[in-house]
Amino acid sequence: MSDLSDGRQLFNLIKKINKSAVLEPIPGISHSELIMLENIISFAENNKRDGKTGGARISELSGFLQLTPSAVSQTVSKLEEKNLILRTPCPKDRR
């Protein structure tokens, strides 16, 4: 099974659990982190389907969620620290 399918299954499981939780769906994962994780998975699935890299860029997430790139980057960093995602440099970005 692909990493994206595994990620989608994990997210769906978390979402089911979230229906019974009020404040924090899973201990250690905030509501904003859960929303970000869902969007990262969705963007990655759509990008892969469109023949792109399969990842999600900070700028894409920022524009879609109407958040500053800094806010998105901070949340993504928290998800990475919790080993929920792997952040890789974009080959098209020369920075």
Side-chain angles (χ1 to χ4, degrees), residues 2-34:
S2 77
D3 290 340
L4 289 177
S5 295
D6 291 343
R8 174 57 67 193
Q9 287 178 349
L10 174 62
F11 179 76
N12 288 337
L13 177 62
I14 291 171
K15 203 170 178 181
K16 286 179 186 177
I17 293 169
N18 187 31
K19 289 180 181 177
S20 63
V22 177
L23 297 176
E24 197 169 301
I26 301 242
I29 300 175
S30 70
H31 182 70
S32 61
E33 290 168 344
L34 187 60

Side-chain angles (χ1 to χ4, degrees), residues 28 30 32-33 36-37 40 56 58 61 69-88:
S30 70
S32 61
E33 290 168 344
M36 187 65 68
L37 185 58
I40 289 169
I58 296 293
L61 294 166
S70 177
V72 171
S73 186
Q74 288 174 9
T75 305
V76 167
S77 292
K78 289 177 186 176
L79 291 170
E80 186 178 28
E81 288 169 10
K82 295 174 183 181
N83 293 316
L84 294 172
I85 61 167
L86 175 64
R87 202 172 190 176
T88 57

